[in-house]
Amino acid sequence: MTFSWADEVRDLAKQRNAVILAHNYQVPEVQAVADHVGDSLGLSRVAAAVDAEVIVFCGVHFMAETAKILSYDKTVLIPDEKAGCSLAETINAEQLRAWKAEHPGAAVVSYVNTTAAVKAETDICCTSSNAVEVVASIPEDQDILFCPDQFLGAHVQRLTGRKNMHIWMGECHVHAGINGADLKERVMAEPEAELFIHPECGCATSALYLASSGVVPAERTKILSTSGMVTAAEQTKAKKVLVATETGMIHQLQKANPLVIFEPVNRAAVCKYMKMITPEKLLNSLRTMTDEVTVPRDIADKARLSVERMIEIGTPSRTAE
Ligand code: 13P
Ligand code: SF4
């Protein structure tokens, strides 16, 4: 029997006492070899609880940094440290400090797609699967600074009806590129299909508008985090689902419900950073114990408070094994 790439990865992971975590946007081979696959909240929860000495994070840098913040004594590796996130780059700690100075007393809610230094300036982090609960947990008369994603912020503001929420105008280039025009065209061409939309999408706002104006049937339009999509995929009765998020998501959805056809709204919605983690780099990472993720202790200690508050709030988001 030949020793495959996957056998070698699993074998090395055992030797290193390592757990492999993969985000839902990773390439199918990496998802298949991982111990846990999930969204950013689910994987943060796993990272906080695992016994392994080493965490190999197949995702983008802020996710691996979050794992390091939560499990500071463990070695955290990312197969390519250059796998960044265009959304996390839209705000830095200095900009956040200046914004806080303009709104004294406001609570800072940061999406988990931020650097450790921004998390250290944050009161409570959130992900797309618990952002509504996180905002709802803040006293109604306290102002909120929500950063960095404008589309997620607008979605949360709509659902909570919160008026005293200031939203940073950041966006993810992949999701902002899935626009209302693409969505309308696909929906018109597929009148029977359901729609799963990630709240970071530029089209999330258009989807709600289209639903309220009757162009898209409201009962078939769902705004969901990546794990929320997996649960909805298992439950759907539709024959076809149009998916508005990074295309790597299709793999988990198809696995969750092989009877349904899942199609991306925009086939070009590919996160080049997520795709920097290749099968070869994962193997190399385990062989050479690189690239190690480090966070200065003082930053990690401050950031941990906001991340721990995040993982306490919201229904546990699922991860697959
Ligand atoms: P989730 O929190 O839904 O996993 O999304 C993370 C992300 O980076 C979306 O682009
Ligand atoms: Fe960042 Fe967008 Fe890639 Fe998610 S899809 S990791 S938000 S660049």
Side-chain angles (χ1 to χ4, degrees), residues 23-25 38-41 60 62-63 85 111-113 127-129 172 175 198 200 224-227 245-246 274:
H23 187 264
N24 288 320
Y25 297 163
D39 68 357
S40 25
L41 181 59
V60 291
F62 77 81
M63 296 181 179
C85 167
Y111 191 34
V112 71
N113 296 41
T127 72
S128 54
S129 57
C172 149
H175 284 91
H198 194 282
E200 275 178 33
L224 299 161
S225 69
T226 56
S227 294
T245 193
E246 211 273 351
M274 285 281 178

Side-chain angles (χ1 to χ4, degrees), residues 204-235:
T205 319
S206 322
L208 291 164
Y209 169 74
L210 293 176
S212 63
S213 57
V215 178
V216 178
E219 66 284 2
R220 283 196 271 125
T221 303
K222 302 194 163 87
I223 311 262
L224 299 161
S225 69
T226 56
S227 294
M229 287 187 189
V230 178
T231 306
E234 286 168 349
Q235 293 166 354

Side-chain angles (χ1 to χ4, degrees), residues 45-257:
R45 287 191 168 123
V46 173
V50 285
D51 284 334
E53 285 168 72
V54 178
I55 297 173
V56 186
F57 209 113
C58 299
V60 291
H61 197 264
F62 77 81
M63 296 181 179
E65 246 184 9
T66 307
K68 181 69 188 175
I69 290 165
L70 287 166
S71 285
Y72 202 76
D73 296 332
K74 298 202 163 95
T75 301
V76 177
L77 304 177
I78 182 166
D80 186 341
E81 67 186 358
K82 292 186 285 311
C85 167
S86 60
L87 176 57
E89 277 167 27
T90 62
I91 189 162
N92 62 32
E94 205 180 315
Q95 289 170 309
L96 179 52
R97 278 193 290 272
W99 200 29
K100 282 163 71 168
E102 286 168 26
H103 300 276
V108 178
V109 177
S110 296
Y111 191 34
V112 71
N113 296 41
T114 42
T115 60
V118 166
K119 290 185 175 82
E121 293 288 337
T122 293
D123 293 299
I124 179 160
C125 289
C126 70
T127 72
S128 54
S129 57
N130 71 356
V132 170
E133 287 102 319
V134 167
V135 165
S137 75
I138 294 165
E140 269 182 34
D141 56 354
Q142 189 175 12
D143 276 14
I144 296 177
L145 302 181
F146 186 96
C147 71
D149 190 81
Q150 56 178 300
F151 297 111
L152 179 65
H155 172 65
V156 171
Q157 190 163 36
R158 222 167 12 235
L159 291 191
T160 56
R162 193 88 185 208
K163 299 272 182 291
N164 54 353
M165 194 171 147
H166 308 269
I167 301 171
W168 191 259
M169 286 291 118
E171 64 181 27
C172 149
H173 72 291
V174 179
H175 284 91
I178 307 175
N179 58 43
D182 291 340
L183 185 72
K184 193 165 174 183
E185 197 186 306
R186 292 302 309 276
V187 169
M188 294 300 206
E190 308 270 5
E192 300 299 314
E194 260 188 3
L195 269 181
F196 290 180
I197 298 172
H198 194 282
E200 275 178 33
C201 286
C203 68
T205 319
S206 322
L208 291 164
Y209 169 74
L210 293 176
S212 63
S213 57
V215 178
V216 178
E219 66 284 2
R220 283 196 271 125
T221 303
K222 302 194 163 87
I223 311 262
L224 299 161
S225 69
T226 56
S227 294
M229 287 187 189
V230 178
T231 306
E234 286 168 349
Q235 293 166 354
T236 186
K237 299 280 177 285
K239 289 199 179 73
K240 188 182 261 194
V241 177
L242 303 175
V243 183
T245 193
E246 211 273 351
T247 57
M249 195 61 221
I250 302 289
H251 175 73
Q252 278 297 321
L253 298 178
Q254 209 63 74
K255 220 169 102 186
N257 196 337

Side-chain angles (χ1 to χ4, degrees), residues 248-271:
M249 195 61 221
I250 302 289
H251 175 73
Q252 278 297 321
L253 298 178
Q254 209 63 74
K255 220 169 102 186
N257 196 337
L259 301 175
V260 176
I261 301 166
F262 295 95
E263 273 182 13
V265 166
N266 180 347
R267 288 187 193 281
V270 176
C271 175

